[in-house]
Amino acid sequence: SDLAYNLRSITTDHAVQVVTPTAVTPARPRRRAIWIGAGAVIVAAAALLAWISLRPTQPDLPPLKTVPLTSFPGEELQPAISPDGSMVAYVRQNEAGVSDLYVTLVGEGESLLVSDGSSHWLSPAWSPDGRRIAFGRAAPNEDGGYSITIESVAALGGQKRQITTTQARASSGLSWSPDGTALAMVDRESPDAPSAIYLLSLETGEKRRLTTPPADHEGDLQPRFSPDGQTVAFIRWGTMNLSDVYLIPTEGGEPRRLTTDNGITQGLDWSADGESMVFAASRAGRAHWISLWRVPAAGGEPESLGVGEQGTSPSVSREG
């Protein structure tokens, strides 16, 4: 009380006599601890309120709807949206039965033929800078089969570059790592072995096996890097053409099963924030009815997107 009186008197023009106590009675330890604890709670609450008010919020997305992008006769398959969202690469089978690679500008309606028509070009995957497209090329060989190579080409066409070879099917899927240094691809140790996911270094050419499916399974297909590059999602095909979505860290480890439908899964991709997966599958006992679903990457019950009935091979833009 003496200190408060003296502080208030500083603003006056009169001299103030300072009273100095001869002894100071220390505060009780219990009361001091209570006040310290109360102050800590107040500070924590203020920090929490500040975080809630200042953190960025995700804008509400408009209702989803499907809009035609291509209008060729026949089927267009395996779409892949470019990193900036302005273009879509896709595959179309021409009149000679050869799968050609096209690129179309979103909203423009015109498509550019990128492939040369001499072989099947499948499973397009964009580089992170949007300048090149990796693809699987199946060329007929002398024994009546196909030789499968993984190659890349400039986004608007040009000279292609061979990256590696594979014993898997060319349509098994490719994914370019977000840092541009690696490709997630499908290969197998022998023509009779189940297919597995491999990581290919684009700097050294080294191919590292990432998954080992059970011997009685068809194998692992359609790898997709997460937006942060730390995880690869893929589809594991079991017996009787039943499949589910799995996740595995890029450094290796035991895959984690994300869905338990035992249905038919035909394509998957990550959400832009990496918090969930969008996939196409038959669920709820509808064996021949494919539709689009979303499931949290941490696990949980999938929810229907409510659009794209019979939709397959989803590709999600990086802008979400």
Side-chain angles (χ1 to χ4, degrees):
S1 61
D2 293 334
L3 177 60
Y5 173 78
N6 290 326
L7 290 174
R8 284 195 301 270
S9 67
I10 290 176
T11 59
T12 70
D13 296 327
H14 304 287
V16 178
Q17 181 180 0
V18 177
V19 179
T20 305
T22 57
V24 178
T25 303
R28 295 179 180 177
R30 178 177 177 84
R31 180 178 297 177
R32 181 179 298 171
I34 292 174
W35 281 107
I36 292 175
V41 171
I42 293 172
V43 171
L48 177 61
L49 290 174
W51 177 78
I52 292 175
S53 62
L54 296 177
R55 68 185 178 124
T57 57
Q58 294 292 335
D60 292 332
L61 295 177
L64 298 176
K65 62 179 179 179
T66 54
V67 178
L69 181 68
T70 62
S71 58
F72 284 117
E75 289 187 323
E76 292 85 59
L77 305 170
Q78 301 174 5
I81 301 179
S82 64
D84 65 1
S86 66
M87 296 181 285
V88 176
Y90 64 93
V91 171
R92 172 182 177 260
Q93 194 173 72
N94 61 28
E95 291 74 12
V98 176
S99 296
D100 282 322
L101 178 62
Y102 286 81
V103 171
T104 185
L105 288 171
V106 175
E108 295 297 327
E110 296 293 331
S111 293
L112 173 68
L113 177 63
V114 178
S115 57
D116 54 17
S118 63
S119 55
H120 299 282
W121 291 34
L122 303 163
S123 301
W126 291 86
S127 62
D129 60 9
R131 298 177 61 185
R132 300 191 69 81
I133 301 173
F135 61 95
R137 187 171 75 94
N141 53 31
E142 297 178 354
D143 60 7
Y146 288 90
S147 297
I148 311 300
T149 56
I150 305 300
E151 304 183 14
S152 71
V153 66
L156 299 181
Q159 186 68 32
K160 57 182 182 290
R161 304 173 186 168
Q162 180 171 323
I163 300 175
T164 189
T165 60
T166 175
Q167 297 190 71
R169 296 191 301 271
S171 60
S172 300
L174 292 169
S175 181
W176 213 308
S177 66
D179 62 6
T181 63
L183 279 177
M185 56 173 291
V186 179
D187 205 345
R188 64 181 79 200
E189 294 180 346
S190 68
D192 298 327
S195 58
I197 307 300
Y198 289 75
L199 296 185
L200 173 71
S201 170
L202 296 177
E203 298 174 351
T204 66
E206 176 188 3
K207 195 184 296 183
R208 175 169 62 90
R209 182 168 182 161
L210 190 62
T211 69
T212 304
D216 59 346
H217 280 51
E218 292 293 327
D220 301 334
L221 305 172
Q222 299 184 24
R224 292 291 183 272
F225 272 106
S226 60
D228 63 5
Q230 300 300 307
T231 307
V232 173
F234 63 94
I235 299 173
R236 174 161 288 179
W237 285 84
T239 58
M240 304 294 294
N241 285 328
L242 301 180
S243 57
D244 274 297
V245 179
Y246 285 73
L247 305 179
I248 188 171
T250 52
E251 67 267 19
E254 187 66 24
R256 176 168 61 90
R257 188 173 181 176
L258 192 58
T259 64
T260 57
D261 300 321
N262 285 317
I264 298 174
T265 307
Q266 295 187 354
L268 75 166
D269 200 5
W270 292 83
S271 62
D273 58 9
E275 296 294 325
S276 61
M277 299 292 307
V278 175
F279 65 102
S282 61
R283 301 189 72 246
R286 298 185 296 180
H288 301 290
W289 188 266
I290 303 293
S291 56
L292 298 179
W293 303 82
R294 178 166 46 203
V295 62
E301 181 64 22
E303 62 172 342
S304 174
L305 291 183
V307 296
E309 294 182 351
Q310 296 295 340
T312 63
S313 303
S315 177
V316 182
S317 72
R318 294 304 90 191
E319 296 83 6

